[in-house]
Every structure is written in C-alpha cells, then in structure tokens.
Amino acid sequence: FRLAIWTTTPWTLPANLAVAVNPELPYCVVDADFAPAARQTEDDDDAASEPRRPSERLVVAEALIPTLEAKWGATLTKVATLTGD
C-alpha cells in the first residue's frame, strides 16, 4: 500500500519518518485505476502519447475520493474503510 499525503513543505519529506492521520476521520484503501493518457491523432504529429499508468492500491481520506479522481484522472474503487485510530 501507499499512503497519499499532502504537505505545504515538500522539502521536509526526505527527513520525515512518520505520517499522522486524524483518528476521527475515515480513510479508504482504494484500487486506483488511472485513465489512459490522451492518444496521438493523425492530425497532430507532434503530440506524444504517454503509456497508461499501472493500477495502484492506495490509502486516502474517504472525503477526498471524488477530488482525487478528478485531479488524477483515475477511478478509485473502495476496497476497505479504516479509521485513523
């Protein structure tokens, strides 16, 4: 599993040894299926298509699932629900 996190100080990530979660919030284990990248059309010779990202299993805050799906262009399917405690 990977834990999706957000920080306002990314330069501190290499030194971090732990991630804090809120004991009162629900989190979900999700299968993240990333949408295929845009494909090159015959009319657009310069457009480069990217390979599809492989699916990943992530832990995310349940309330953020719709936001993350829109931001990542992914479908997040709940596998399990957890609490932060």
Side-chain angles (χ1 to χ4, degrees):
F1 297 103
R2 293 176 186 233
L3 185 65
I5 63 168
W6 177 84
T7 179
T8 57
T9 56
W11 54 87
T12 65
L13 287 176
N16 289 341
L17 300 177
V19 174
V21 294
N22 186 327
E24 297 179 13
L25 291 180
Y27 295 86
C28 290
V29 176
V30 297
D31 280 329
D33 182 24
F34 295 93
R39 298 290 174 212
Q40 181 175 350
T41 65
E42 292 178 23
D43 298 333
D44 190 1
D45 293 332
D46 294 330
S49 61
E50 296 179 24
R52 180 184 177 114
R53 283 182 61 184
S55 295
E56 294 185 55
R57 190 158 277 189
L58 304 169
V59 177
V60 299
E62 185 175 37
L64 293 179
I65 289 175
T67 302
L68 296 174
E69 285 179 316
K71 186 172 204 61
W72 295 341
T75 300
L76 304 182
T77 305
K78 291 182 192 178
V79 175
T81 302
L82 317 163
T83 60
D85 59 0

